[in-house]
Amino acid sequence: MIIRMLPDSKVVEALCICYEKQRVYHHQGIPHFVTSITVAGSGREARVEAELNPVWNEEVVL
């Protein structure tokens, strides 16, 4: 899953910390690993894109 956000968002800082320290990031209540962070666009159109992979296999039902 790829999420996009504004560069000045507090979420970007949290994602960077999780990416650097290999910690779990919770997106919509589901734990994910952040596998990559990139910047798309420039100026007012700039967005930070983060690729998330779920910690647990999606087939597992709790």
Side-chain angles (χ1 to χ4, degrees):
M1 163 191 333
I2 295 178
I3 59 172
R4 297 179 65 176
M5 64 231 80
L6 294 170
D8 60 349
S9 172
K10 291 181 180 181
V11 175
V12 174
E13 184 177 341
L15 285 165
C16 289
I17 290 169
C18 291
Y19 178 71
E20 291 173 2
K21 299 186 181 231
Q22 297 180 348
R23 303 287 169 108
V24 173
Y25 175 76
H26 291 267
H27 179 67
Q28 298 179 342
I30 301 170
H32 291 83
F33 287 117
V34 183
T35 56
S36 70
I37 298 176
T38 58
V39 177
S42 62
R44 293 176 53 112
E45 301 298 320
R47 298 292 183 267
V48 175
E49 295 180 345
E51 184 175 348
L52 306 177
N53 287 330
V55 172
W56 306 107
N57 187 347
E58 294 180 4
E59 295 177 12
V60 175
V61 178
L62 300 176

